[in-house]
Amino acid sequence: MGLLDFFSRKTFPHGIHPPEYKAITQHKKTLRLPFPERVILPLAQHIGAPAIPIVHKDQYVVRGELIAEPSENALSVPIHASASGSVREIDLMPGPKGSKVMSIVIDTDPSSPQIPVSGKCQDYTRMTPEQIINAVKQTGLVGLGGAGFPSYAKMLLPKDRRIHTIVVNGCECEPFLTTDHRIMLEKVDDLIRGIQIAMKAVSAERSIIGIEDNKLDVLEAISPRLPADGRIQIEAVETKYPQGAEKMLVKSLLGVEIPSRGLPSEIGLAVFNVATLAEMGRLLPRQQGLIERIITVTGDDLTHPGNYVVPVGTPLQDILDNAGFTGQEAEIILGGPMMGLPVASFETPVTKSTGGVLILDQHAYKPKDILPCIKCSLCLQACPINLNPSELGMLANKRRYDVMEAQYHLNDCFECGACSYVCPSNIPLVQYFKIAKTLNRERHIQNG
Amino acid sequence: MAKHPRIDLRPSPYIHSPLTVEKIMRNVVYALLPLVSFSVWQFGISALALILVTTFACLGTESLFCRLSGKANSLKDYSATITGLLLAMTLPPGFPLWMGAVAGFVAIAMGKTLFGGIGFNVFNPALVGRAFVQAAFPVAITTWTPALAPNRFVEFIPSTLALPFMKPAATAEWSAHVVDGFSGATPLALMKFQGIMTDSQSLFLGLTDGSTGETSALLILLCGGYLMWRKMLDWRIPASVIFGTAITAAVFYFYDPSHYPSPAFMIFSGGLMFGAVFMASDMVASPVTPLGIFIFGLLVGFLTVIIRLFGGLTEAVMYAILFGNAATPLIERYTQPSIYGARKKEDS
Ligand code: SF4
Ligand code: SF4
């Protein structure tokens, strides 16, 4: 990497440069945590209809066994037991979004060797795209980068659409988080296999892995192992938040824009997160279900921050115990500090799309008084979508939610939080926008 | 793990840039201090007294209105301090102190509080104060006194201490007495009425007569540059004001160089540089949209030249900026940024 190269690194306009805080965990190899006493598996860990339980109370299940089937008529994926043990209950439990959600609770069997069941080995190179897509659905795989969109659904295309390029998102632009980084160093074969599976499923000609230039060690790890045919490439882009948003990464790597409120497939692209593809590459050949994932446990008040493999459904309590949480008062966040969700209960489980558990105490930003907008235009210079958060914020203050939507593109805001981050008046802009969107949705429903 | 740790709940994002309003404003004050010192060095204790009076008038008015409206005291955000300093810098150094106090009061009362305080002012408050005294005291505001008078640190300019509503002492005689041959005309006036051009270099360095702080372009650029470097001042505003001034002046200059001043003269004379860097860039009263910022700057630059050539002198920059402030909502309305992935009309 020459100096010139560094300065001409591809990127997207606007965005912000928050401190990275990745040094806490980025050099820590992923370790497996002991099985928790109990796992809590929400039926809806994905965008779409909740899965339907096929087990009953007190039934003994084996790790990897199918316990909930996808709902038939809608977007949905199955759920597999992440630990051997008996079903304690199927009931409302605290979910990652705050409200209680229907979940299957399994009491782990301490005497079980916890060997996962798997199906027959399958060779994806001999499967048709339809077979692959169906097999991906059976793994229960969803986007592991946070959104939880069922992975198979990204590969199902309307007749008139074709995907020529798969963009593999290895940016991990959220501060603190390092799971994707570790996966790209430790699971290169799974990742490359996953990319090839996805390419085959959508008949893509090529794919390109995009990483931020704060992870150049990944280039060294992956480049030599890329297939010789050159159909998979890797490229570093500028380290800047929110580089890992699919719209931004596509712009940075390929110079194209995903149409407003449209899908990448409209311009012949599909975007997958590296963790998702690495799981695809691991699970699909063995016909296994998604039962564990890697998370970063990081932040303040921890004696053992690190990257850990945990069964899906592990309650936060167990994770914090293992990571040596010593705090008295803290903020606990599922995900990163920019877009993560605050949690209110130590019973909240890690789900398929939880990328990290972040504890903020000393690093927490203590919000001060909210001042009026001084029109400094910093938020406009931060917004990667090129919205006008200043105007949107003032409209929100006046409760002009309809105008925000009709004239100021409220619905193009993807809630990255860059505007709130920079606002010197401490205006919780993104919070306003989330509220406005919710109220607009309700209004539209009422109006039919 | 402790038995019952407390969990704090708060919406994302959980981290924040270190830049706050208070910090921005505080740094603007820092950036103004060298300019303030320079003008005190140039004009002596009269300038110092004037700066103190306007600043305290602004602070006093702000806290008075805060108390009246029952709002939290907003003095600590430094914005009133900035208004006071900016105001002093636009007044003639021998401006009677009591008039300075009036200007400060009006700046905050009418320029800011009337609109609802910080963030809501339509105009730059300092300019509102200045516009008021311009109209109320037309003579005092165009009475210039010499820079670098030898006795400036021991003696007030006679007009400084004028009593309210009394005829100020005759400053002209005093000026002529302290500096031989002082004409009482600023470089701009010399240009306009006598066709004398002051060379751009002394304008640039600020060794000429003029308002308290609007004379050293070099120092203004250095102080403004500091703020721009700290990302506390939007460089695009001064840049486009200067650009607008330059091209407008250039058009006239090339049309008839013997009649009209050069662009360099226009840029470095009078309060243009100060106005561009510290006045037009008032965040609240200028547009936020990228195209809007550019248009605003061009407009201010254009109007400055036009008013200077065909209208009044000292007030050109001030009126140009006030007009730009007034036009800001309209400019913003038509310059909303086009968003990422915007679809063309036909396919949405
Ligand atoms: S960053 Fe905050 S203060 Fe600045 S323009 Fe945007 S909303 Fe207003
Ligand atoms: S949260 Fe929305 S408005 Fe704010 S920067 Fe992100 S996309 Fe733009």
Side-chain angles (χ1 to χ4, degrees):
Chain A
M1 282 301 134
L3 199 61
L4 210 69
D5 230 10
F6 183 78
F7 283 110
S8 61
R9 196 76 81 196
K10 288 180 177 175
T11 195
F12 65 97
H14 297 187
I16 55 173
H17 293 97
E20 294 178 20
Y21 302 118
K22 290 188 191 264
I24 309 173
T25 53
Q26 70 185 354
H27 299 296
K28 302 212 161 142
K29 279 222 167 77
T30 51
L31 298 174
R32 195 169 278 279
L33 289 187
F35 277 81
E37 269 172 42
R38 178 182 302 169
V39 290
I40 302 164
L41 298 159
L43 294 172
Q45 298 180 38
H46 50 265
I47 291 176
I52 298 154
I54 55 168
V55 291
H56 53 79
K57 191 167 156 34
D58 298 330
Q59 180 177 339
Y60 192 89
V61 295
V62 183
R63 184 165 173 240
E65 185 181 328
L66 184 71
I67 55 171
E69 282 184 332
S71 160
E72 271 187 13
N73 305 321
L75 209 59
S76 188
V77 289
I79 290 169
H80 302 80
S82 56
S84 301
S86 60
V87 175
R88 177 194 175 92
E89 59 191 345
I90 302 176
D91 204 354
L92 288 171
M93 297 294 288
K97 294 228 164 90
S99 47
K100 292 201 165 185
V101 291
M102 223 16 151
S103 311
I104 299 176
V105 184
I106 301 171
D107 281 328
T108 311
D109 174 1
S111 62
S112 160
Q114 299 291 358
I115 296 167
V117 290
S118 50
K120 267 196 253 117
C121 282
Q122 50 188 3
D123 180 359
Y124 75 91
T125 57
R126 297 215 210 125
M127 292 162 77
T128 64
E130 290 72 35
Q131 286 170 327
I132 294 180
I133 293 171
N134 193 44
V136 169
K137 181 170 183 176
Q138 297 317 318
T139 63
L141 194 60
V142 302
L144 301 185
F149 191 80
S151 302
Y152 81 92
K154 272 194 188 171
M155 302 169 164
L156 279 177
L157 294 174
K159 287 250 152 24
D160 56 339
R161 279 199 195 155
R162 271 201 63 249
I163 283 176
H164 52 76
T165 305
I166 288 183
V167 173
V168 185
N169 188 347
C171 290
E172 197 162 54
C173 60
E174 276 268 12
F176 284 102
L177 302 188
T178 56
T179 51
D180 290 352
H181 190 174
R182 292 316 304 179
I183 287 168
M184 290 187 286
L185 292 175
E186 297 174 21
K187 311 240 172 210
V188 178
D189 293 332
D190 287 342
L191 174 60
I192 290 175
R193 195 178 316 113
I195 296 173
Q196 286 167 329
I197 293 171
M199 286 171 74
K200 173 124 205 237
V202 297
S203 315
E205 287 118 46
R206 65 169 193 142
S207 73
I208 175 159
I209 308 170
I211 58 161
E212 285 189 332
D213 59 8
N214 59 359
K215 296 184 260 294
L216 293 179
D217 50 346
V218 166
L219 272 188
E220 282 160 43
I222 292 186
S223 305
R225 287 152 84 175
L226 291 175
D229 61 11
R231 290 171 66 207
I232 305 179
Q233 296 159 326
I234 182 163
E235 184 159 358
V237 291
E238 192 198 343
T239 301
K240 176 161 90 171
Y241 181 86
Q243 187 70 263
E246 65 181 19
K247 288 185 169 189
M248 276 62 252
L249 183 58
V250 159
K251 175 91 181 174
S252 300
L253 283 175
L254 305 167
V256 292
E257 295 186 0
I258 299 168
S260 164
R261 294 194 274 140
L263 295 171
S265 62
E266 283 180 49
I267 51 170
L269 303 175
V271 186
F272 290 93
N273 161 273
V274 283
T276 313
L277 289 179
E279 280 300 326
M280 198 183 289
R282 192 173 69 89
L283 299 174
L284 190 125
R286 303 182 211 176
Q287 287 208 51
Q288 276 184 340
L290 179 67
I291 52 175
E292 59 190 20
R293 67 156 299 149
I294 300 175
I295 59 169
T296 303
V297 185
T298 185
D300 303 319
D301 306 338
L302 295 168
T303 51
H304 307 295
N307 302 292
Y308 296 111
V309 182
V310 296
V312 171
T314 305
L316 280 183
Q317 181 79 61
D318 290 86
I319 291 169
L320 295 182
D321 284 347
N322 282 302
F325 177 58
T326 56
Q328 289 304 316
E329 179 181 344
E331 291 177 10
I332 302 179
I333 294 141
L334 290 182
M338 293 301 298
M339 294 181 77
L341 298 166
V343 288
S345 160
F346 288 108
E347 292 222 327
T348 310
V350 164
T351 65
K352 291 177 180 178
S353 50
T354 306
V357 176
L358 171 62
I359 313 291
L360 288 181
D361 186 355
Q362 298 88 336
H363 278 104
Y365 167 70
K366 304 280 185 290
K368 297 179 203 88
D369 297 345
I370 298 174
L371 297 175
C373 170
I374 57 162
K375 305 213 344 188
C376 62
S377 93
L378 289 173
C379 54
L380 280 92
Q381 292 165 52
C383 179
I385 302 290
N386 212 13
L387 300 174
N388 184 344
S390 158
E391 187 72 40
L392 282 166
M394 288 191 271
L395 287 167
N397 257 333
K398 297 185 216 148
R399 302 185 200 284
R400 303 292 307 279
Y401 304 126
D402 48 339
V403 183
M404 292 168 75
E405 182 179 297
Q407 288 172 33
Y408 291 91
H409 314 283
L410 173 65
N411 291 334
D412 281 273
C413 165
F414 69 104
E415 301 167 14
C416 70
C419 49
S420 297
Y421 177 84
V422 296
C423 180
S425 286
N426 292 312
I427 303 173
L429 294 162
V430 62
Q431 204 52 31
Y432 288 179
F433 304 159
K434 287 180 192 170
I435 293 169
K437 282 185 191 175
T438 312
L439 293 176
N440 277 342
R441 256 195 306 274
E442 278 171 17
R443 191 164 46 87
H444 293 319
I445 291 170
Q446 272 168 17
N447 299 347
Chain B
M1 176 165 141
K3 262 285 155 287
H4 295 291
R6 242 181 76 192
I7 303 187
D8 293 338
L9 274 185
R10 208 157 50 75
S12 63
Y14 309 93
I15 52 176
H16 192 276
S17 126
L19 209 58
T20 57
V21 171
E22 195 246 56
K23 208 165 174 181
I24 295 177
M25 299 290 180
R26 182 154 39 87
N27 277 279
V28 174
V29 174
Y30 294 162
L32 283 169
L33 288 181
L35 292 172
V36 168
S37 317
F38 183 74
S39 65
V40 172
W41 174 73
Q42 258 186 317
F43 297 106
I45 48 174
S46 301
L48 181 64
L50 181 63
I51 291 162
L52 291 176
V53 164
T54 54
T55 307
F56 282 104
C58 287
L59 289 172
T61 313
E62 177 98 359
S63 86
L64 176 74
F65 278 99
C66 282
R67 200 161 313 156
L68 287 182
S69 64
K71 269 196 229 158
N73 202 319
S74 49
L75 292 186
K76 60 180 189 306
D77 69 19
Y78 292 97
S79 67
T81 314
I82 294 174
T83 301
L85 292 177
L86 288 179
L87 177 60
M89 305 303 257
T90 65
L91 298 171
F95 199 61
L97 295 181
W98 74 271
M99 294 183 189
V102 170
F105 173 80
V106 171
I108 297 293
M110 284 169 59
K112 189 170 168 198
T113 318
L114 201 64
F115 291 102
I118 187 172
F120 298 105
N121 49 296
V122 173
F123 299 102
N124 182 327
L127 289 180
V128 173
R130 182 163 195 303
F132 180 83
V133 290
Q134 175 97 38
F137 315 114
V139 176
I141 202 140
T142 48
T143 304
W144 308 102
T145 47
L148 309 177
N151 55 347
R152 62 190 187 277
F153 293 117
V154 289
E155 199 184 330
F156 281 107
I157 301 168
S159 54
T160 298
L161 299 175
L163 293 173
F165 306 110
M166 304 295 260
K167 194 169 182 309
T171 313
E173 279 165 34
W174 178 85
S175 300
H177 171 72
V178 292
V179 176
D180 258 353
F182 178 74
S183 65
T186 61
L188 262 182
L190 288 174
M191 173 277 287
K192 181 144 177 174
F193 300 119
Q194 298 167 28
I196 301 172
M197 295 290 174
T198 308
D199 66 293
S200 300
Q201 192 184 330
S202 22
L203 286 171
F204 187 63
L205 296 175
L207 304 170
T208 58
D209 318 314
S211 298
T212 309
E214 54 192 33
T215 43
S216 173
L218 176 64
L219 198 57
I220 292 166
L221 282 175
L222 285 177
C223 295
Y226 163 77
L227 288 177
M228 294 178 204
W229 169 67
R230 299 283 315 260
K231 296 219 160 61
M232 295 168 174
L233 188 148
D234 196 333
W235 63 274
R236 296 173 295 178
I237 292 180
S240 46
V241 172
I242 293 168
F243 181 68
T245 308
I247 52 167
T248 316
V251 169
F252 286 101
Y253 184 65
F254 287 120
Y255 175 70
D256 183 0
S258 64
H259 232 88
Y260 296 109
S262 72
F265 178 84
M266 275 296 183
I267 291 171
F268 294 120
S269 66
L272 191 271
M273 193 56 78
F274 189 75
V277 176
F278 284 101
M279 290 285 198
S281 58
D282 179 314
M283 292 164 174
V284 183
S286 62
V288 290
T289 60
L291 183 61
I293 288 172
F294 185 61
I295 293 176
F296 170 85
L298 286 189
L299 181 71
V300 170
F302 170 79
L303 288 176
T304 302
V305 175
I306 299 295
I307 299 175
R308 276 184 179 176
L309 294 179
F310 304 106
L313 294 172
T314 51
E315 65 273 37
V317 177
M318 172 183 80
Y319 283 134
I321 295 174
L322 286 173
F323 189 87
N325 291 161
T328 291
L330 189 74
I331 295 174
E332 281 193 338
R333 200 152 144 200
Y334 293 102
T335 55
Q336 287 302 321
S338 134
I339 63 163
Y340 173 105
R343 291 172 192 264
K344 290 191 209 83
K345 276 263 155 48
E346 59 265 31
D347 52 65
S348 66

